[in-house]
Amino acid sequence: MKPFNKRDYIVMAMGNIIGSGIFLASSLVITVAGVWAPLAYLLGGLVMMMEVSFIIELAIANPVPGSFKVCAQEVFGDWWGYVNGWMFWSSGVLGMASEVTACAIFTRLWLPHLPLWLFSLLFSVAITLLNFNDLKGLSKIELGLSITKVVTLAAFILFGVLLTAGFSIGHATQPRGLLQVFGQYSSHGVIGLLGSMLLIFFAYTGTGIMGMAATETEKPESTVPPAAKFVTLTIVTLYTLSAFFVVALLPASRLDPKSSPFVQLLTIFQIPYAGNIVNFILLTAALSALNSQVYSASRMLFSLSTNRQAPQIVAYQSSKGVPVVAVAISGIVLLITAMLSYILPEKIFIYTVSASGFLALVNWLSVSLTQYYYRKKMLIATPDKLKYKAPGYPYLSWICFAAVLIAIISIPIYPDQLPGLYSGCALLIIISGAYFVTRAATRTQR
């Protein structure tokens, strides 16, 4: 199996991170944070950059599948390694469910009379089958999808810059003044900013793939760090500027938290066919994120199996090196989760986003602590293995930990996120219970 090169790595990382968190959930972010939304994306992005640097350090120091989970297990013991791995997989599946729901929402714009669950079902099956490809086949498919959404965000930012500079595009004209336009949105101050942070961090989740893919990349110690820096800087810039121009150009009275603000804007400006074109682009963007998340979730499941924390059959690989059983199981669970759109068609997106975001944040807490203690351990025992060191140690480890903890504490500020918080906590309890039951059963067999 031929490994990823630098381009493949960048493509897979971009594909996994950029998705409905900006293209669809940004409406919810603006509803909660108001004029503070661009700042929220910037602050969330800075925390994401810290977390990515920790993941890369762990992946290069210990280049095994699911390295940050394996390192957490070495530092905190078998229980946390088990919980950490299954939380990552559960967060990935819920993230996949939110992306497939976004795909269904975008598609229903053209076929409003068909139910949401039908589109979710079709996309779930299609993407699962797609992930039976080998790495190179998957990378080629992802390349086109990733380029599409990066170009879309860049084009939207250029659109905003031109309008602000006084150019007219379609029925869109220069804003009456950015400060006046920004004033349309209510500002809940720091409370609104904090209330939006779970949604913000959801937009940046998917960073785990940067550790998962690092172990399948050629010369990771020289290839991965600069590629990761390029990915994170690009995404933070695109997200922050996109949110800025949405707030600057979209009238507050026209903001619909249930649909994409990008489609709303271009529809309002009556640019011919722009709404449909952008909706199609957003659909491909969500499909790209869904595709990459199936990849990362299945690799974590494979890692759990190789560490005897999942059934051994899950570790089976095809002749192309694809963990086909792990892909199939992730796809089946995605199908089951996506069918919730039949039961909760209006709330499924925010519920899956908040549950996935909460579990991802717990993983980010774990990554911050693991990087701090794992580096401390390696500096004493095997300092030569630290071929890449995340900057700012030990201060950034604790700053990142504190920022994520504050975001978790702030979840109740936006009540619609509470079901996700409750379900995330329930999953934590279930996973912990499964660990102790499995351990007791293993001891009994002995």
Side-chain angles (χ1 to χ4, degrees), residues 69 80-90 300 304 363:
K69 187 271 296 183
W80 188 245
Y82 183 95
V83 171
N84 199 222
W86 281 105
M87 274 197 313
F88 180 90
W89 181 77
S90 300
M300 177 54 77
L304 286 164
N363 274 319

Side-chain angles (χ1 to χ4, degrees), residues 98-379:
S98 63
E99 294 296 348
V100 83
T101 302
C103 292
I105 290 171
F106 293 141
T107 306
R108 201 168 61 169
L109 181 72
W110 299 309
L111 302 167
H113 302 298
L114 294 178
L116 200 66
W117 65 266
L118 179 60
F119 297 121
S120 296
L121 179 65
L122 292 174
F123 286 126
S124 297
V125 172
I127 292 296
T128 300
L129 293 176
L130 192 62
N131 268 266
F132 288 115
N133 276 287
D134 61 10
L135 292 182
K136 282 298 174 184
L138 198 61
S139 176
K140 288 178 182 177
I141 294 166
E142 191 59 45
L143 177 62
L145 295 174
S146 294
I147 288 175
T148 299
K149 55 190 177 184
V150 171
V151 169
T152 300
L153 289 176
F156 177 76
I157 292 167
L158 178 61
F159 174 82
V161 170
L162 291 175
L163 286 181
T164 305
F167 292 91
S168 296
I169 304 174
H171 289 261
T173 56
Q174 182 181 22
R176 291 170 295 172
L178 288 181
L179 291 178
Q180 187 175 355
V181 175
F182 267 73
Q184 298 178 36
Y185 286 90
S186 59
S187 173
H188 303 293
V190 175
I191 296 298
L193 179 70
L194 291 174
S196 70
M197 290 315 293
L198 179 63
L199 295 168
I200 291 292
F201 283 129
F202 169 77
Y204 289 114
T205 57
T207 52
I209 196 175
M210 301 179 79
M212 306 294 289
T215 61
E216 299 188 72
T217 302
E218 58 189 12
K219 300 178 180 178
E221 62 275 6
S222 59
T223 301
V224 171
K229 183 180 292 186
F230 172 80
V231 169
T232 53
L233 284 173
T234 300
I235 291 175
V236 173
T237 302
L238 290 174
Y239 276 20
T240 303
L241 291 178
S242 294
F244 175 85
F245 284 113
V246 167
V247 174
L249 301 173
L250 182 63
S253 59
R254 303 291 295 271
L255 178 68
D256 179 2
K258 295 180 182 179
S259 62
S260 169
F262 299 90
V263 175
Q264 294 173 54
L265 261 174
L266 297 180
T267 301
I268 290 171
F269 291 150
Q270 299 178 34
I271 298 174
Y273 306 109
N276 285 323
I277 292 171
V278 171
N279 196 64
F280 174 76
I281 291 171
L282 301 189
L283 172 60
T284 63
L287 284 171
S288 168
L290 174 60
N291 181 46
S292 297
Q293 286 185 0
V294 172
Y295 165 85
S296 61
S298 61
R299 267 53 180 187
M300 177 54 77
L301 194 55
F302 173 78
S303 173
L304 286 164
S305 181
T306 57
N307 284 277
R308 300 186 179 277
Q309 294 172 331
Q312 292 301 294
I313 192 174
V314 179
Y316 175 77
Q317 292 178 292
S318 70
S319 58
K320 297 178 179 179
V322 178
V324 289
V325 177
V327 171
I329 291 174
S330 298
I332 290 168
V333 177
L334 168 62
L335 280 172
I336 296 170
T337 310
M339 289 306 291
L340 288 172
S341 59
Y342 176 75
I343 304 170
L344 301 165
E346 300 302 322
K347 293 289 186 178
I348 181 63
F349 182 73
I350 182 60
Y351 287 178
T352 53
V353 163
S354 53
S356 175
F358 170 72
L359 290 176
L361 289 184
V362 176
N363 274 319
W364 282 22
L365 288 177
S366 176
V367 167
S368 300
L369 286 180
T370 300
Q371 185 264 348
Y372 172 78
Y373 286 108
Y374 197 78
R375 186 194 283 197
K376 189 175 183 180
K377 171 186 171 183
M378 292 195 71
L379 286 172

Side-chain angles (χ1 to χ4, degrees), residues 376-427:
K376 189 175 183 180
K377 171 186 171 183
M378 292 195 71
L379 286 172
I380 297 171
T382 53
D384 55 303
K385 286 189 177 181
L386 282 169
K387 297 176 182 177
Y388 168 75
K389 297 179 182 179
Y393 180 85
Y395 307 108
L396 289 188
S397 304
W398 293 111
I399 290 172
C400 184
F401 180 88
V404 174
L405 186 61
I406 290 170
I408 292 175
I409 295 171
S410 303
I411 289 174
I413 292 174
Y414 182 36
D416 277 354
Q417 298 174 145
L418 287 175
L421 173 62
Y422 299 150
S423 59
C425 290
L427 272 171

